[in-house]
Structure formats: structure tokens, C-alpha cells
Amino acid sequence: MATLPLYTQSCGAGAAHAAIDAEPPVKHVAVVGGGSAGWMTALLLANSAYGERLRVTVIESPQVGTIGVGEGSTPWLRGFFDGLGIEEAEWMPACNATYKAGISFEGWSTRPGFERYFHPFASMLDNLTMTQFVQNVHARLQGADVDAHPDRFFIAARLARDALAPRPSRNFPFDVWYGYHFDSSLLGAFLHRKALERGVRHVPRHVRAVNRAANGDIATLELDGDETLAADFFVDCSGFASLLIGKALETPFVPFSDNLFNDAAVALPSPASGPIMTQTVSTALSHGWAWKIPLTERHGNGYVYSTAHCTADQAETELRAHLGLLDADVPARHLKMRVGRAAASWRHNCVANGLAQGFIEPLEATALQFVQRTASLLVEALESGDIGDAARSRFNDTLNAQIEGTRDYIVAHYKTNNRTDTEYWRDNAANAHLSESLVQLLRTWMARKPIIGGLRQGQFGNAYPVVSWYCLLAGMGIFPDAASLQAPTPLQAQHNLAAIENLIERSALNFPDHRGLLADIPPRPKEDALQLYLW
């Protein structure tokens, strides 16, 4: 069967290209807003093939703080740092960062044997077990009594179970793709320092007004202190305030509230002790879900919930009870979320990035991936020398499709739940506001047909790879009722699961203890293979 790339070198999205002799189509880019989004964008712009000929300025208001909670990433963040030549041994300790092999989902399903599952990040080793997993899923859909729970088939689940770091010894022949956990405030501060080292100018001023030219472009920014800043191009990283793309350019906002009910969160830290896990834990609660993110010094915790189903006080009380901190004198932070996207991320001479562009929700930790992807697409457009109408249209179409595809994957977590304990979960299961793509995917699965063909051909689910969709739907236990399962045929029972377990157990011997590796993070070999395949 043909292979499909799951993560490729493009995840590096920031690797320096050969220098371009031509002059850049714009000479000065102003990034409005700091934080992780603003400084990541600035670094990728400063790393363009134009070098110092493309001036980059970050205007950061001293009056606006950052969210600053424990946060997780997808494997794209590894590519970001690799592309900039920044070693993990430099940035991870500075950000209290840990490794992440994937996400554990606890209590999203009540189906026996499927009360929890793990969504793994990819490994080249998975090519030796993915076929067996998918074929067992197909057999169980057809009513055969075979094991089709994803945790048994992937090395990442094994690493997460025993707090092993997803960085194998150098003699292990398979690369493992992984993400990170980190303190988002510390990450923003680290990126700030690196950007200044690489020539980015910093203007710590509050933007009071935005002036537009006759053609509708943004011309200048009026700053506190009677200062005016002019630039050729602007990037809006002003968060939910959306100062440029929303307020100044009046770009419509497309809400996702019909698809995703969560619109608020409450966060608080808890002490860290014992092993440092290599997974984000997502636990279903009464009106949403709680995250647990392991950092080197503490755990970041939070509760993402729907204000239509509970109050902020109720959410905080439930989170404290969940963490055993009802009587603890630990302050909580309450956050509002604007879930949706700008109708167009690029309008006139402005690109929106980060929360100014949009937000789905934290469930699969895609926020920084979209920041990185957006900034990389902008750099590609600038390096091509084409920033005209057609380029803007391609840019917007690409991002909108990826945002909405990711939204569908998130929605599927809620739609497929079978909890009946609260109105929140019942409303999510009954939600009919689904995209046609997601409807087609779920109908195919419920008809007990393989979805792999539709995924490979781009008919549906094209924002996430095969392994993710199969882990989600199989992990939630969406199969015929266990009582109706029949003994498998010899063909359906062809796979030796003991051999798979033995392969994974032997492979796990090549991975170090997570806490031990964090104490002395080694450099990664430059010849690291970033091309991973899952069919």
C-alpha cells in the first residue's frame, strides 16, 4: 500500500533558504503585539532569505499582559526551533519545558474498555504496527471480536505510560516526532530575546490609533508618546482585541459557537512531584474538560467549559475539587475565549496571526501550530515576490481550509461522546451543526465502512492524518456493541498482537527516563530524519 507523509520537513517551516538577490516586495514589516505569536512571527520574518534587507519591528504594549499558562504544542514546534538552529538544551530549561508524546483522553467515553485512549504523535516505528491497527479496526467495525484499542499499537502510548522521554538513544533506527509542554509567558520572553539578537527592533508602546491610506491599506500607527510608526506591511498579533484586522480593517468574524460550545476557561497551577509525564491529560468534567500539563517546576491545570452550561464560580469549584485543591490558597485565572476565525487572515497590507486571526480551543494544542503556519506562509509569499490579489486569495483559502478542518477534528471529539450525565454532554452529542465533510466522515464510519479511502483522497478530514482519525474514533469505542461481536475469521485474526507488544516493549528500552533526560538535554544530531511516513 502506498505511503503518505504524516510529518515532513515542511514542519521545519522556518529553515533558512538560499539568499535572494532581488529586493523584498516590502521593506519594513511591523508586528503589532508580542507574546508567543508576535515574537514567533518576528523571528520567522527575520529568518527570511532577504536577511537584513527586510526590517522587522515589534510594537508591544506595556499595558497588555499575556495569558501565561502552561501550554502544549504539536510536533510543529520542534520544526520551528530546528529551522532557526536553536537547540532544545537552550530553550527548554528557559521555559520550564518538557517533552510531549501525545494526549491522553480520560472519561470522554463510557463505553466499556474505551473509557480512555491516547492520541499519539507519530513515529517511524508506527509503520510496522499501523497496518495491523487499521485492519483490526475494520474487522471490529464488521463485528469481529478483535482488539482495536489504539493504545496497544503505538510506541508513543507506551512512552507516555511510563514517563519515558520520546527521544531515543542514537543507535535507535527510528525517528520519533514529538511536541512540548512549556510556560507560555517564559516562551514569549525567550523568543523576545532571540528576536532582538537577530535584529528585530522592539518598540514598547501602546497603539492608540490606526491610520489608513486612500487605497484602504494601513499607513501608520499612532503610539503613546505622540510617536507615529510607518511600515509597508503589518502583522496583527494583538490577541482577541484584533486591533488591525478586526477593528481597523473591519474584517468580519466567523464564529464557531454553533460547532463548539466552550467559550471560557479557568486556570490554576498545582505542585509537581514524582515522575514528569510525557503527555497532556485531558479529562472530561461536567461541562467541558480539564487539562493537566506537566512542566519541570509545576503542573499547569485548567478547565475549558461552556458558560451556557455553568457559571465561572461553578467551573472553578469543580476544577479545584478535581485537583484536590478546594481549600488551597491558590489563585485562579479566568479567561474568555472568542472561538472562530477572521473571514480573511490577509486583507490589504495586513495579516492576522495568533488570537487576532482566530481560535478553535485548546483541546489538541493547535494554537502555536497555526501561528507558525501563518507566519511561514507569509514568508513564502514575500520570498516569492508576489503579494498581489491572487497570492492573498491563495493564502486565505489555504488557512481557512486548515482552520476549518482542524475545527472538524475537534468537534468530532464532542460529537462522538456518549456521556449522559449532564446537559452539556447531551447537547454536544445531539449537535447537528456539523460541516458536510465531517458528516460524510462520520456517516461512513457509522456505516461500518473504512474511512481511509476518503481521508487519502481528501474527500473529508484532510486537516489530520489517518492515524489521528482512527485513534479518535476507535479510542472512543465507536464499534458495534460488544455483546454482538462474533469470533473473528482466520483472516480477521491474522495479526499477532503479542508480537506487536513485544516489538513495542523492546523498543521502549531505547528511551530514557523523562526527568533524567531533562536534567541534561543532549544536542540532537544534525542528520536527524524528519521525514515520517504512515500509510
Side-chain angles (χ1 to χ4, degrees), residues 29-48 51 54-59 80 84 191-192 194-196 198-202 235 237 353 371 375 378-379:
V29 179
V31 179
V32 176
S36 299
W39 292 109
M40 177 178 278
T41 300
L43 271 165
L44 290 177
L45 287 166
N47 197 52
S48 81
L54 180 64
R55 292 174 52 215
V56 182
T57 300
V58 173
I59 303 94
F80 169 78
L84 294 173
L191 296 175
H192 178 171
K194 299 306 292 187
L196 296 186
R198 300 188 182 202
V200 174
R201 179 188 176 209
H202 181 216
V235 182
C237 294
N353 205 355
V371 170
L378 175 58
V379 170

Side-chain angles (χ1 to χ4, degrees), residues 102-127:
I103 307 169
S104 176
F105 290 88
E106 311 279 349
W108 287 69
S109 170
T110 64
R111 299 173 179 94
F114 296 91
E115 295 87 354
R116 66 163 309 281
Y117 77 93
F118 187 78
H119 179 193
F121 292 144
S123 161
M124 292 174 68
L125 183 67
D126 297 342
N127 287 296

Side-chain angles (χ1 to χ4, degrees), residues 259-338:
N259 312 98
L260 294 165
F261 301 156
N262 295 339
D263 59 357
V266 53
L268 55 85
S270 64
S273 61
I276 300 178
M277 305 306 292
T278 48
Q279 60 183 319
T280 299
V281 178
S282 167
T283 304
L285 297 183
S286 299
H287 311 290
W289 60 275
W291 76 74
K292 182 177 182 180
I293 290 178
L295 305 178
T296 57
E297 304 297 328
R298 61 178 173 85
H299 285 130
N301 308 282
Y303 184 6
V304 181
Y305 64 95
S306 162
T307 58
H309 294 85
C310 76
T311 67
D313 286 344
Q314 289 171 330
E316 181 177 339
T317 299
E318 186 175 9
L319 176 62
R320 288 183 180 277
H322 170 66
L323 298 172
L325 298 175
L326 271 175
D327 299 321
D329 187 20
V330 181
R333 297 187 62 189
H334 288 267
L335 311 167
K336 288 289 188 180
M337 303 187 304
R338 185 181 69 157

